[in-house]
Amino acid sequence: MTVRSALLTNAVIFHNALDIAEIIRQLLEEGWEIDPEDLAHISPYLTEHTNRLGEYSTHELGIQPEAYDPKLDVDFTPLREQDLTAAGLDQAA
């Protein structure tokens, strides 16, 4: 994989992660309850709509992205506790 295609792949994955986070925020604002277990099955690495090895030109877009907000108000504690229990790490030595 060339540096250019790796950069493009990472940019697409990051963009997908931003879109997923924005949709989750919108659902939370609408009053939906978000189950961390469901989020564990979502991946920003989607390939059906991307030609990873194709040629892309982005300079003519001229779009300035908004600042990224890394805060996602979802409590992942139950998943962490579940992982610790499954690994047997929740017990005192």
Side-chain angles (χ1 to χ4, degrees), residues 1-11 52-56:
M1 179 181 291
T2 66
V3 172
R4 187 182 297 176
S5 65
L7 177 62
L8 177 63
T9 300
N10 291 338
R52 273 188 58 213
L53 304 176
E55 292 190 20
Y56 301 86

Side-chain angles (χ1 to χ4, degrees), residues 23-49:
I23 290 168
I24 292 168
R25 284 188 189 98
Q26 289 175 4
L27 290 171
L28 289 169
E29 287 176 10
E30 292 175 11
W32 288 81
E33 184 176 323
I34 303 297
D35 185 356
E37 183 80 23
D38 293 334
L39 295 180
H41 299 283
I42 297 175
S43 172
Y45 182 60
L46 308 172
T47 57
E48 60 269 3
H49 68 284

Side-chain angles (χ1 to χ4, degrees), residues 11-85:
V12 169
I13 291 170
F14 183 66
H15 187 273
N16 288 342
L18 294 176
D19 286 346
I20 291 168
E22 182 59 30
I23 290 168
I24 292 168
R25 284 188 189 98
Q26 289 175 4
L27 290 171
L28 289 169
E29 287 176 10
E30 292 175 11
W32 288 81
E33 184 176 323
I34 303 297
D35 185 356
E37 183 80 23
D38 293 334
L39 295 180
H41 299 283
I42 297 175
S43 172
Y45 182 60
L46 308 172
T47 57
E48 60 269 3
H49 68 284
T50 304
N51 181 1
R52 273 188 58 213
L53 304 176
E55 292 190 20
Y56 301 86
S57 176
T58 58
H59 68 278
E60 56 282 303
L61 295 177
I63 299 171
Q64 180 68 29
E66 295 179 17
Y68 173 64
D69 178 9
K71 176 92 171 93
L72 190 59
D73 195 20
V74 175
D75 181 14
F76 288 98
T77 305
L79 281 180
R80 286 189 209 104
E81 291 170 354
Q82 182 182 11
D83 287 345
L84 290 175
T85 302

